[in-house]
Amino acid sequence: MKMTLGAVAQAGTSRHYKTGSWRVDKRPHFLHIKCNADDLCALSCPEGCIYGQGKNTYFSDYDYCKGCGICAQVCPTKDIEMVPEVK
Amino acid sequence: MAKKMLEGSRAVAEAVALCRPQVVSAYPITPQTHIVQELAQMVADGEVEAEFVNVESEHSAASVLLGASATGVRVYSSTTSQGLLLMNEVLYNISGLRFPVVLTCTNRAVSAPLNIWNDQQDSYSVRDSGWIQFYAENNQEAVDFLFMAYRVAEDHRVMLPAMVCMDGYILSHAYEAVDLPTPEEVDAFLPPYKPLYTLDPERPLTFGTYAEPDKYMETRYMLHRAMEKALAVIEEVAQAFQEAFGRPSGGLLEEYRTQDATTLIVGMGSMMATVKATVDLLREEGQRVGALKVITHRPFPAQALYRALRRAERVLVIEKAISLGSGGPLATEIRALFQGRPQSPQISGAIAGLGGRDITVETVRGAVEEAQRRVLEAEFLDLRPDLELEGVD
């Protein structure tokens, strides 16, 4: 492996870090009942791992989701619930 | 080349313009303000095709340069004293990211107490930040060293930022005749900057990465090796400068009447003119005294210094900074050069000229005489005997 001057790296390396293992006890559960597709959950996600197009299509990629709960907090229709982590 | 009678700051500003920086960012601070004031005017008048970014602090100025340099353009700033200290965090980031940023430091004392006059505590304080440091004796050098600083910093064997230090007021506000090369001459000596990696949306890269214990240490080792390599590049560039402009300037050290000298006076910056005058005086009296000017402070020119000093019986290092609780930093490093060597000169260290106190021929002469009687550890020169210093016995 080559160390570049200034430790400059290829772009998009965070894809290799599966931060989902950081979740401790809860993860977001998308109910898909009252979703109005305002995109707030995706825009607020610090990991950028919430995807969806149109009402009741949003989901979080659990490979990266750290379980912070911001999506559930900002959802105006309370269509996201933080649920206990299942083994 | 054409000689012009200019204020030091104006001369530096004109030299910067000749280097064709594309981004300049700075925050005004005495005694540096004239440099960027002149540059801002040149940009406003369309004489310099650069983006001049006004910011709210030196921390921001350095950050602007960091970001601009990442896009692959040549950048410039100047600062001093508290401003340089405020930049400190960013200085480490710039060197760590290997951006060849160049800045002028118009050396000034640091607070408290508030003092706007000259010493070199400010640039000494960032000595270990991975920046190359040159110290100018006069305004001609403050100008010459800029051309060389960019060429050394941007050399792909080096890729490190560089700081040209010039004594505040003593140089920045002094009018001197300065040889300014033509734009064609500078263009021939200093080709456009060719970055290794650049921020470019077409070819995305990650700058400012996180390095865990498994990689961080290698990055510091790489920086240190680049500093060591810079020693040879600095000498090479000084040689190229002489060939291009027909007169010597720059390099690691400058020797003055050192042939057969038994006592050598070492120092940096404008005080060396006074030291040379003192050497002339003492030589007239038959004393075998010489002067050694340290031009490149970082990377530390250990081998060159050792070779230049080893035959002396006595070395007196005079410096305008102190590592509080230790002593003169340059004297300490020079003493270390002789550790484990078969023979060593007696090495004295003296602190002088802090906060703008004049260093006169009498100051230097008195220190030489004292150093001939005993070894000085960290002797403060010209302290006022008439002041009662509370807490000092």
Side-chain angles (χ1 to χ4, degrees):
Chain A
M1 181 190 171
K2 184 182 172 185
M3 279 292 289
T4 55
L5 297 191
V8 172
Q10 291 306 307
T13 49
S14 57
R15 282 199 191 90
H16 304 299
Y17 291 97
K18 303 231 165 150
T19 47
S21 64
W22 294 22
R23 286 199 308 280
V24 181
D25 58 351
K26 284 184 176 147
R27 63 177 171 189
H29 175 55
F30 289 72
L31 301 173
H32 291 171
I33 299 166
K34 293 180 285 183
C35 171
N36 63 3
D38 59 17
D39 218 33
L40 271 180
C41 53
L43 291 171
S44 308
C45 176
E47 203 56 38
C49 67
I50 295 174
Y51 306 91
Q53 278 182 334
K55 292 178 182 178
N56 301 320
T57 63
Y58 286 80
F59 66 96
S60 179
D61 185 338
Y62 293 136
D63 276 353
Y64 300 100
C65 173
K66 293 171 178 168
C68 69
I70 291 173
C71 52
Q73 192 77 39
V74 297
C75 180
T77 62
K78 306 285 171 220
D79 203 42
I80 305 168
E81 263 181 7
M82 295 304 288
V83 299
E85 195 66 51
V86 282
K87 298 283 174 197
Chain B
M1 291 221 185
K3 276 208 174 184
K4 280 190 186 175
M5 194 66 177
L6 294 171
E7 190 203 35
S9 300
R10 174 74 199 184
V12 167
E14 291 196 17
V16 171
L18 288 167
C19 294
R20 302 187 191 279
Q22 286 153 288
V23 173
V24 178
S25 185
Y27 190 80
I29 181 170
T30 298
Q32 162 279 141
T33 305
H34 290 187
I35 296 175
V36 287
Q37 182 183 319
E38 299 277 3
L39 275 169
Q41 189 69 53
M42 290 179 200
V43 171
D45 292 345
E47 294 166 20
V48 176
E49 283 177 55
E51 185 97 13
F52 192 102
V53 186
N54 284 305
V55 285
E56 77 283 14
S57 77
E58 287 84 358
H59 189 281
S60 302
S63 300
V64 165
L65 297 192
L66 182 152
S69 189
T71 69
V73 301
R74 188 172 285 160
V75 301
Y76 176 80
S77 187
S78 74
T79 189
T80 179
S81 184
Q82 310 304 117
L84 188 68
L85 298 193
L86 187 55
M87 280 187 180
N88 198 0
E89 185 207 28
V90 190
L91 297 182
Y92 276 80
N93 274 309
I94 289 171
S95 61
L97 284 158
R98 308 298 294 270
F99 292 143
V101 173
V102 170
L103 75 77
T104 299
C105 173
T106 57
N107 290 103
R108 172 186 137 179
V110 296
S111 301
L114 176 63
N115 177 298
I116 59 168
W117 304 97
N118 166 247
D119 68 36
Q120 296 169 346
Q121 190 70 49
D122 52 358
S123 55
Y124 263 70
S125 304
V126 298
R127 181 191 70 172
D128 302 332
S129 62
W131 282 61
I132 292 167
Q133 284 193 344
F134 301 114
Y135 285 76
E137 178 185 335
N138 48 47
N139 289 338
Q140 185 65 63
E141 289 189 343
V143 163
D144 297 346
F145 293 0
L146 270 176
F147 307 133
M148 289 187 259
Y150 276 113
R151 186 152 151 180
V152 171
E154 293 171 2
D155 190 296
H156 284 187
R157 292 166 291 174
V158 179
M159 293 301 286
L160 290 171
M163 193 178 294
V164 178
C165 303
M166 65 189 293
D167 287 321
Y169 288 114
I170 298 172
L171 297 184
S172 64
H173 287 56
Y175 277 74
E176 286 184 341
V178 171
D179 238 341
L180 276 169
T182 64
E184 295 73 31
E185 285 172 320
V186 177
D187 288 347
F189 178 76
L190 184 64
Y193 169 41
K194 287 197 188 72
L196 284 169
Y197 308 104
T198 53
L199 274 182
D200 177 0
E202 300 299 313
R203 287 167 299 150
L205 289 171
T206 303
F207 285 75
T209 49
Y210 176 67
E212 294 211 318
D214 66 336
K215 293 190 196 73
Y216 181 84
M217 213 160 146
E218 279 70 21
T219 67
R220 306 313 285 180
Y221 175 70
M222 289 162 76
L223 273 167
H224 185 60
R225 290 300 298 269
M227 269 283 179
E228 288 176 339
K229 246 186 222 176
L231 285 169
V233 177
I234 290 164
E235 288 188 296
E236 195 182 298
V237 169
Q239 187 62 39
F241 184 93
Q242 177 155 14
E243 283 159 21
F245 301 107
R247 56 185 175 81
S249 191
L252 304 175
L253 306 171
E254 184 199 312
E255 299 198 32
Y256 184 76
R257 303 186 79 171
T258 54
Q259 201 77 32
D260 82 351
T262 51
T263 299
L264 288 175
I265 311 166
V266 183
M268 304 198 294
S270 66
M271 81 159 103
M272 291 315 287
T274 310
V275 168
K276 287 172 183 175
T278 314
V279 165
D280 289 345
L281 199 74
L282 295 172
R283 282 270 178 189
E284 271 172 41
E285 293 170 10
Q287 294 207 50
R288 288 156 65 185
V289 179
L292 186 67
K293 179 170 84 185
V294 177
I295 297 170
T296 304
H297 185 211
R298 281 293 179 277
F300 188 62
Q303 275 192 349
L305 269 166
Y306 176 73
R307 276 198 301 271
L309 298 174
R310 67 182 162 173
R311 285 195 190 85
E313 287 169 21
R314 207 170 291 102
V315 170
L316 168 64
V317 184
I318 306 179
E319 49 196 319
K320 290 181 178 177
I322 181 161
S323 172
L324 295 170
S326 171
L330 183 59
T332 304
E333 286 189 291
I334 286 175
R335 287 188 186 109
L337 286 179
F338 289 93
Q339 176 64 33
R341 303 282 192 172
Q343 61 190 56
S344 166
Q346 284 194 336
I347 302 169
S348 279
I351 315 298
L354 301 188
R357 186 159 300 182
D358 280 339
I359 297 179
T360 64
V361 167
E362 286 69 37
T363 308
V364 179
R365 188 192 177 104
V368 170
E369 283 166 6
E370 198 60 26
Q372 283 166 345
R373 280 194 287 274
R374 62 189 174 93
V375 178
L376 313 177
E377 290 301 327
E379 191 88 353
F380 276 64
L381 305 180
D382 294 342
L383 281 181
R384 282 177 60 176
D386 58 319
L387 290 180
E388 188 193 331
L389 308 177
E390 186 176 27
V392 176
D393 307 319

